[in-house]
Amino acid sequence: MDGRPGPAPDTVTVLWCTTDGDERGRARALLVRQVAAVLEVDPSAIWMEREPGGRPVMAGAAEGVRVSMSHTRGALAVAFTAGGHVGVDVEALRVLPGQALARRWLDKAEAAWVAALPESERSVGFLWLWTQKEAVGKALGLGLRAGGMSRRMPSPGRWPLIAGASPVPLELPDDPGTAADAALVVGGSHVVGVAVRGADGAAARVEVRRVTSRTSD
């Protein structure tokens, strides 16, 4: 950021952890504290606001840093970058009727892809697509409104997913300005989706790190 301390414009940092409650509050606190640390300022020098559509934006000393937050029961994830708008989503990996859910909610080609997977992989396949759609909606500042579930995600660069492998954002078929990917975190307990809009999101390097729940308090 012009030679000053701050996140690299070509890197998206994603932090996640498991929690025992108050995921929303802890996500906000973790994001403020981590961005302050990267900027080498006191956390009191930055704060978070919301755009009319609900997208979080940083203010004060952190103006210009793009951020996103996600939480599910028992876990949270935050993302930040100095590049384009970013979105993040986290879901616990669990057994789901992946084929039926994909047929109900996803693009027809995506539903066909999930159906073609071995039955044991359909849950993670569905969540791999779902978390990307959520992340893209956040990066666009639209959420899942305006046809969010029908936005086609890029074909997987690798499959099956390898736990701990970093996401590699690829351009969306119908929106070259937006790139997305999702990955299994270390241990394979959760799927984290990441999206970047603008600033050549497809070239963004994504770093996913687990933090302890204590550092998210």
Side-chain angles (χ1 to χ4, degrees):
M1 299 181 69
D2 299 327
R4 297 170 295 170
D10 63 346
T11 300
V12 175
T13 299
V14 177
L15 305 175
W16 79 281
C17 70
T18 56
T19 71
D20 56 3
D22 190 24
E23 291 85 6
R24 183 187 299 271
R26 291 186 178 189
R28 185 185 184 98
L30 175 63
L31 190 53
V32 168
R33 186 167 56 253
Q34 292 294 323
V35 171
V38 170
L39 293 173
E40 299 180 10
V41 299
D42 190 272
S44 63
I46 67 177
W47 59 91
M48 189 181 301
E49 299 176 346
R50 294 274 182 177
E51 294 181 343
R55 178 164 56 187
V57 293
M58 303 304 290
E63 186 176 358
V65 178
R66 311 291 194 182
V67 300
S68 184
M69 300 185 297
S70 177
H71 56 84
T72 188
R73 184 173 182 179
L76 62 88
V78 302
F80 59 89
T81 183
H85 286 289
V86 64
V88 68
D89 189 60
V90 60
E91 287 284 347
L93 181 57
R94 56 202 185 274
V95 177
L96 296 169
Q99 183 175 351
L101 289 171
R103 188 169 56 247
R104 177 179 180 183
W105 294 109
L106 305 184
D107 172 83
K108 289 183 178 180
E110 293 171 336
W113 176 78
V114 172
L117 293 174
E119 186 173 355
S120 62
E121 297 178 18
R122 290 173 186 165
S123 293
V124 68
F126 174 78
L127 290 172
W128 180 80
L129 288 164
W130 180 277
T131 55
Q132 287 183 79
K133 289 176 186 285
E134 289 273 15
V136 167
K138 293 178 181 180
L140 295 176
L142 298 172
L144 293 179
R145 301 186 300 276
M149 293 310 300
S150 63
R151 295 186 194 114
R152 290 192 300 142
M153 296 299 108
S155 299
R158 58 190 181 279
W159 195 268
L161 299 181
I162 300 173
S166 296
V168 180
L170 300 174
E171 292 182 340
L172 270 60
D174 302 320
D175 183 3
T178 305
D181 193 14
L184 276 174
V185 299
V186 174
S189 61
H190 290 75
V191 181
V192 174
V194 183
V196 185
R197 169 67 179 175
D200 197 10
R205 182 168 62 97
V206 180
E207 297 179 345
V208 180
R209 301 200 307 270
R210 182 172 186 173
V211 296
T212 64
S213 57
R214 181 175 57 187
T215 62
S216 69
D217 293 335

